[in-house]
Amino acid sequence: MANMSPVKNPIPEQDPNVRNKNFLEVSLGYDETTAVDEAQRCLNCKNRPCVSGCPVNVQIPDFISLIAEGKFLEANAKIKETSSLPAVCGRVCPQESQCESKCVRGIKGEPVAIGRLERFAADYAMAHPTDDAVEVPAPNGHKVAVVGAGPAGLTCAGDLAAKGYDVTVFEVLHTAGGVLMYGIPEFRLPKAIVQKEIDTLKAKGVKFVLNFVVGRTETIDDLFADGFEAIFVGSGAGLPNFMRVPGEGYNGVYSANEYLTRVNLMKAYKEESPTPIYHAKKVAVFGGGNVAMDAARCAKRMGAEDVYIVYRRSEAELPARAEEVHHAKEEGIIFKLLAAPLEVLGDDDFHVKGVRCQNMELGEPDASGRRRPVPIEGSEFILDVDAVIVAIGTSPNPLIRTTTPGLDTNRKGCIVADEVGATSKEGVFAGGDTVTGAATVILAMGAGKKAAAAMDEYIQNKNK
C-alpha cells in the first residue's frame, strides 16, 4: 500500500546534550516498521531519475520496493550488485544533492529517504548474517594492484575481484579504510561498520598489504616489475592545506587531518589510548566544510567548553552538509560567520592563546561563483582560544607523482586522468581525491567503479 505522506519519516537520534559528550553514533536508524512505511512512499517511477543521481548506479527503486515488501536481505543484495559499501554510503553520502535531489516526491514535498533506507538494509543484513558462503569468482589469471584502501580503492578492488582478478591493495597506514577510518568520526560512521565491509572484500579474495608506502617501499614501476598488469591509484588527498597566517607554527595548532587521525584512527577519545592529544578548553576551527564540522564536534566531545567555527562567508555559503551544520549547532558549536582569521596569537611558551580575526561582508562573486568576502575596516577582534584546528582543505601527497616518471599531474598536484580513470602512464589508472582533490566518499567510489571497468577492458584487450 502506497504511503502518500509528503514528508520523510524522522530518524531517531541521541539527545544533543548527551551525544556531545560521547562518541556513539548520533543517528540511530530506522526500525523495520518505519523502514517499510518510508519505502512505501516511493512512486517507483518509470524513468527512475534517482538512479541517474547515484555515482555508483544503485538500482534505487528496486531495493526500495524490496524493503516495502519486507524483503530486507534481498534489498541489501540488490544494493551490493553495484555498491561495495552500502552501510557506509547510507551514512555519509550527500544524498540531498545526489539521488534524493532527483526524487519526484521532492517536487511537492520531501524526497524519499533513500540514504536512510540504504543504511537500514545494510545494517539489517549485518545484524542477520546468513550461512551462505561469500561467492568467490573463478580466477581469470590476471593480477592487478590498488594503491590506497580508501573508498575509491576499496570499490575498485571489489569490482575487479568480482571479475576474477587477483587483487592486492597496498595501504600506507596500519589499518585499511582510508578516510573512512581516519577522517570521519565514530559518531557519524562507526569503524566496526567499515571493518565489516573490508572483511567482506577479504572473503572475496582481496589481499591487503598494510604499512606499505608506494613511492618509498616500492614505486609504481616496481609494482609492474612484480607482475601486476594494471595499477589503480586511489591514494586520496592527505596533505593538509594551511591558512599561511602568522602564528600557525605555535603549539596547539593542528591540521584537521592530524587532529581527526589522532581521535578517530588512534582512538584518543579512549582513556587507555596511548596517543597524545591536547585537551583544549576553547578551540577555533578554521573552515566551513564537513571536515570542519567533524573536527569541531570531536573537539567538543574531547572536553572543550567552547568550540568556534570561524568561516569568512555566511551560513548560506557553508560547504558542509545542512545535516552536519544542524547537528553541530544542536551540540553547542558556536558559529563565527563572516569572520576571517588574521593571526594566531601565542604566549611566552609558544602555545596558542588566541586568534586575531576580522569581520567580513560579502561582495561580488569570485571565480568559484560564491560572493567574495570583503574585510570591514576597524572590525578586528580577538577570539580567546587555546587550540586551533585548520580545516580548509587538502591536496594529494606528492610522493607518487614525484617517483613515477610519465605520470602527468596538474598545478594542484592532482593526477590527470580521463573520464574512466586512465592516466598518461600506460597501465596506470587513478580516481578519487588524488584526481579531483578533496571531494565526497560516493564520488570517489564512482571513480573507482569506472576505473575497474576500464582496467578490465585494458587487460582483456592487451591479452587478445
Side-chain angles (χ1 to χ4, degrees):
M1 181 176 177
N3 174 1
M4 300 309 294
S5 171
V7 297
K8 296 178 182 178
N9 280 278
I11 194 165
E13 298 175 343
Q14 282 195 74
D15 180 89
N17 291 318
V18 173
R19 71 182 191 233
N20 66 7
K21 300 174 184 65
N22 69 53
F23 277 80
L24 302 176
E25 192 166 12
V26 169
S27 298
L28 306 179
Y30 283 158
D31 59 20
E32 294 179 28
T33 302
T34 308
V36 169
D37 189 61
E38 182 62 29
Q40 289 173 345
R41 294 185 62 233
C42 179
L43 300 176
N44 206 5
C45 305
K46 184 177 181 180
N47 62 350
R48 305 156 76 90
C50 52
V51 177
S52 69
C54 177
V56 295
N57 200 39
V58 169
Q59 298 303 296
I60 294 166
D62 294 347
F63 92 75
I64 290 180
S65 293
L66 289 166
I67 292 176
E69 296 170 15
K71 298 177 179 178
F72 306 139
L73 293 176
E74 292 88 341
N76 182 64
K78 173 58 66 174
I79 298 168
K80 298 206 91 167
E81 287 178 3
T82 57
S83 173
S84 300
L85 309 170
V88 171
C89 292
R91 287 168 164 83
V92 302
C93 283
Q95 291 95 2
E96 68 278 3
S97 62
Q98 294 180 338
C99 55
E100 291 183 15
S101 73
K102 309 286 187 182
C103 178
V104 173
R105 290 301 299 263
I107 297 173
K108 293 184 178 180
E110 292 184 345
V112 175
I114 297 169
R116 295 173 184 177
L117 291 173
E118 181 179 23
R119 170 188 168 170
F120 167 78
D123 287 359
Y124 183 91
M126 286 185 178
H128 298 82
T130 65
D131 294 330
D132 299 337
V134 175
E135 185 177 342
V136 180
N140 66 11
H142 297 290
K143 182 177 170 183
V144 294
V146 172
V147 179
L154 294 176
T155 300
C156 185
D159 281 18
L160 287 168
K163 295 176 184 293
Y165 285 91
D166 179 353
V167 184
T168 302
V169 180
F170 296 95
E171 167 58 38
V172 67
L173 295 175
H174 63 278
T175 302
V179 70
L180 306 175
M181 283 294 197
Y182 76 76
I184 302 174
E186 180 80 11
F187 55 80
R188 281 218 293 137
L189 179 61
K191 303 311 156 205
I193 296 285
V194 182
Q195 190 57 53
K196 284 183 179 179
E197 302 280 36
I198 292 168
D199 290 344
T200 298
L201 291 177
K202 289 180 178 178
K204 291 180 178 179
V206 176
K207 297 185 286 290
F208 289 85
V209 180
L210 307 177
N211 300 303
F212 192 102
V213 185
V214 174
R216 283 288 180 269
T217 312
E218 287 191 23
T219 65
I220 293 290
D221 287 333
D222 291 334
L223 293 178
F224 278 124
D226 291 339
F228 293 103
E229 298 174 62
I231 298 170
F232 175 75
V233 179
S235 50
L239 186 68
N241 300 331
F242 284 89
M243 294 284 295
R244 298 185 180 180
V245 297
E248 276 189 314
Y250 283 127
N251 293 323
V253 177
Y254 290 89
S255 71
N257 266 31
E258 179 189 353
Y259 189 80
L260 291 172
T261 298
R262 288 183 182 275
V263 172
N264 300 324
L265 183 65
M266 307 306 293
K267 312 297 184 190
Y269 61 90
K270 293 185 176 180
E271 288 186 11
E272 67 272 18
S273 173
T275 299
I277 195 166
Y278 178 62
H279 292 269
K281 292 282 191 290
K282 297 184 177 183
V283 180
V285 179
F286 299 166
N290 290 327
V291 174
M293 301 305 143
D294 287 344
R297 297 170 70 194
C298 282
K300 188 73 173 177
R301 285 163 170 78
M302 293 297 289
E305 297 167 3
D306 295 320
V307 181
Y308 303 94
I309 291 284
V310 182
Y311 180 64
R312 61 189 189 142
R313 290 183 167 92
S314 72
E315 183 166 347
E317 287 78 32
L318 281 169
R321 294 180 69 188
E323 180 181 59
E324 303 309 321
V325 175
H326 171 69
H327 282 157
K329 287 182 176 181
E330 283 189 326
E331 292 168 11
I333 307 302
I334 303 164
F335 283 72
K336 290 286 185 182
L337 303 174
L338 290 168
L342 300 179
E343 180 183 8
V344 179
L345 307 175
D347 59 21
D348 292 339
D349 294 323
F350 301 100
H351 195 96
V352 174
K353 71 173 185 179
V355 177
R356 183 166 63 90
C357 302
Q358 185 173 29
N359 288 323
M360 314 291 279
E361 60 184 359
L362 295 180
E364 295 300 313
D366 62 14
S368 71
R370 296 178 298 173
R371 294 175 65 190
R372 185 188 306 276
V374 179
I376 299 174
E377 294 296 325
S379 66
E380 294 185 12
F381 64 95
I382 303 296
L383 207 55
D384 177 24
V385 297
D386 59 336
V388 167
I389 303 171
V390 183
I392 60 166
T394 54
S395 304
N397 189 297
L399 188 56
I400 289 177
R401 64 178 167 86
T402 56
T403 59
T404 310
L407 185 65
D408 290 347
T409 56
N410 64 21
R411 63 181 182 82
K412 294 183 178 180
C414 298
I415 296 173
V416 177
D418 67 15
E419 64 277 3
V420 297
T423 72
S424 58
K425 189 174 179 71
E426 184 178 351
V428 176
F429 296 77
D433 291 1
T434 197
V435 170
T436 61
T440 63
V441 167
I442 191 65
L443 288 177
M445 290 176 62
K449 193 170 193 65
K450 288 180 181 178
M455 291 167 74
D456 175 49
E457 183 179 358
Y458 166 77
I459 290 172
Q460 297 307 320
N461 288 338
K462 190 175 180 181
N463 287 274
K464 280 182 178 177

